[in-house]
Structures are given as C-alpha cells and as structure tokens.
Amino acid sequence: MTGTALQSCDLLVLCGGQGTRLRSVVHDRPKPMAPVGDRPFLEFVIAPLVAQGIRRVILCTGYMSQQVEQWFLAQKHDYELLFSREARPMGTAGALAQAAHLVQSKAVLVVNGDSVCDVHLAGLLDHHRATGACATITLTPATARTDAGCVEMNADTRLTGFQEKGPATLSSFHNAGIYVFDRSVLSRIPAERPSSIETDLLPALLDQGLYGYVTEAPLFDIGTPERLTQFRTHVESLAPAAMAGASASPDRRRPRS
C-alpha cells in the first residue's frame, strides 16, 4: 500500500474514557492525557500512525474533553484534526456512531487512546482489503494476563470466537485495540444508546467477515498505575528519540496463519 492510500484513511481515536482504575495517580485529567515525560500518553498513540502516513485524525472525546482539545489545538501538527465530543458516555462503539458523520474514507482506522502497539499500517490495511473483511482486528499473541479477553482465529485469519477474561489458551490472541472498519459498519451502531466495540459490535460481526492481523510488536496499555509506570520506563529507555516524538520501528510482519 502506498503512502497516498494511507493518507486517505481516516483515523478515529477513542479518548473519552474516565480511567477509574488510574485515579490514584491520574485524577485531574482524562486517562489518555496521563503525563509521560512532558507529553500526554495520547501523543504516543497518534505520532507513530501519523509517521506512517495518516493525515486526518478525529479525536472522540468525552470525560474532561476540554483538556484533550486544548492540548492538541495548541500543538503544531501536519494532519487535519477534528473532534467528536460526547454529551454523555456512549461506550467505545457509541463513540464511533457519534463520529460517523465526520468520516470520509471507506476504510476507517480506529484505535484506543489508552494503549499503544506499533503495528505496520500498510500491512494491516492490505490484509483488510485482501480478505474482503467488514472489520479487521490487530492481534498480539496471548500472554498470562487474566484481565483481558482473548480472540480465537482459524488458519485463514478469520475470527471464530471470543473468550471472556480469564486464562488464555495456546491458540488465542489478545485484542490490541487497533481496528479497521468499513465505513458502512459505523452506520449499524445504535446512536441513541451506549454500546461497546468489544462486547456488542465485534460479536455481531463474526458471521459477516471479521478477520485478524497478528503483530509481534509489544502492546502497552495504561489501564493501571503499574502499567503506566511500565510505559514510562519503556519510553525512558528509548530517550531521547522517544521523547522527541519518534517511536520504535513498526512491526512489518505479515499476518501469520
């Protein structure tokens, strides 16, 4: 896939959550704005994707939305920036429905604003188009974590089921929180009530062509104080490049079967 194709793909960033588990260390701002050095975590989410060619970014804000908007409006950036603000909490899928009217591209990249995984976007989008998927989920090999759901996938990378939180099986994967959706999928999400990507939208798409793209790149999330500390330590180990806005090279592996 060319850089031009990536430039035509809209990016929706889900950054409206409250982050209740992080309140003991981040209580005065939304979770994606947790400080990492002198930058908010959300910068580490967006910068690697823009570096790969994304040029249109829609931030789906909610809790303490003004902080997100004020920060990014005050920064210089080489991409078009838009905001979709929730009037009330709508969940991850509900936030997509709220932002659907801003989307211009046929394939829409969606990422969580509280996790980072350096996926190779061209490979992800190529896989999405090659399979004819209505949605593609970036996956990482399952770990010993028991607070994350797992995904089952067949040899053709088509998803076959979801496992609730608990011990992972040897053949399962974790959802990295990076998705490609056909724009038509957004119109199917109820706009009048809260709903979740993980528990409402994805299971409903299983029989319509839901595929996985596996990356070996590490997945970082800041859902707990301990994981925020781990990410800060990781960034410090990459300094000064990371703090200057660079990121590790994206994983360029093809999806495995």
Side-chain angles (χ1 to χ4, degrees):
M1 174 168 289
T2 65
T4 301
L6 281 171
Q7 290 173 16
S8 66
C9 182
D10 289 349
L11 168 65
L12 271 65
V13 186
L14 301 169
C15 46
Q18 296 188 28
T20 54
R21 291 186 297 171
L22 209 59
R23 288 282 175 82
S24 62
V25 294
V26 180
H27 61 275
D28 60 344
R29 64 197 71 195
K31 178 168 59 170
M33 296 301 287
V36 179
D38 61 354
R39 301 164 61 202
F41 178 82
L42 195 52
E43 285 272 16
F44 293 87
V45 176
I46 296 172
L49 306 177
V50 170
Q52 292 186 63
I54 293 294
R55 288 296 176 268
R56 194 165 188 270
V57 179
I58 303 169
L59 299 184
C60 301
T61 64
Y63 177 69
M64 293 188 174
S65 58
Q66 297 89 342
Q67 289 199 28
V68 178
E69 296 167 12
Q70 288 172 4
W71 169 273
F72 281 91
L73 287 173
Q75 311 305 310
K76 293 182 179 179
H77 43 75
D78 55 356
Y79 53 86
E80 182 182 359
L81 178 64
L82 301 96
F83 298 98
S84 173
R85 184 193 294 184
E86 298 176 329
R88 61 188 178 91
M90 294 298 292
T92 50
L96 299 185
Q98 295 277 310
H101 68 285
L102 297 173
V103 173
Q104 296 180 351
S105 59
K106 182 179 185 299
V108 185
L109 180 66
V110 176
V111 302
N112 289 335
D114 61 356
S115 61
V116 166
C117 183
D118 231 346
V119 67
H120 180 218
L121 290 187
L124 170 61
L125 288 167
D126 281 346
H127 186 60
H128 175 77
R129 290 173 175 171
T131 59
C134 66
T136 302
I137 308 176
T138 302
L139 304 173
T140 60
T143 65
R145 284 181 57 174
T146 60
D147 63 342
C150 293
V151 177
E152 301 288 344
M153 182 173 65
N154 68 17
D156 296 323
T157 72
R158 184 161 181 163
L159 302 193
T160 57
F162 297 92
Q163 175 186 329
E164 293 298 325
K165 295 178 181 180
T169 65
L170 292 176
S171 61
S172 61
F173 301 86
H174 286 318
N175 180 348
I178 301 173
Y179 313 92
V180 181
F181 291 106
D182 275 3
R183 183 173 58 191
S184 62
V185 170
L186 305 189
S187 64
R188 306 181 203 173
I189 305 170
E192 70 281 357
R193 58 179 172 82
S195 58
S196 163
I197 290 176
E198 298 82 1
T199 60
D200 298 314
L201 180 59
L202 295 180
L205 297 175
L206 264 180
D207 62 353
Q208 299 177 42
L210 185 57
Y211 284 79
Y213 178 84
V214 178
T215 178
E216 302 292 341
L219 171 63
F220 297 94
D221 76 75
I222 58 168
T224 66
E226 294 76 18
R227 290 182 195 143
L228 175 58
T229 297
Q230 289 172 4
F231 183 73
R232 286 169 170 165
T233 301
H234 168 72
V235 170
E236 289 173 0
S237 73
L238 300 177
M243 298 312 298
S247 65
S249 298
D251 178 75
R252 298 184 180 274
R253 297 176 186 265
R254 290 294 179 183
R256 72 187 185 190
S257 58

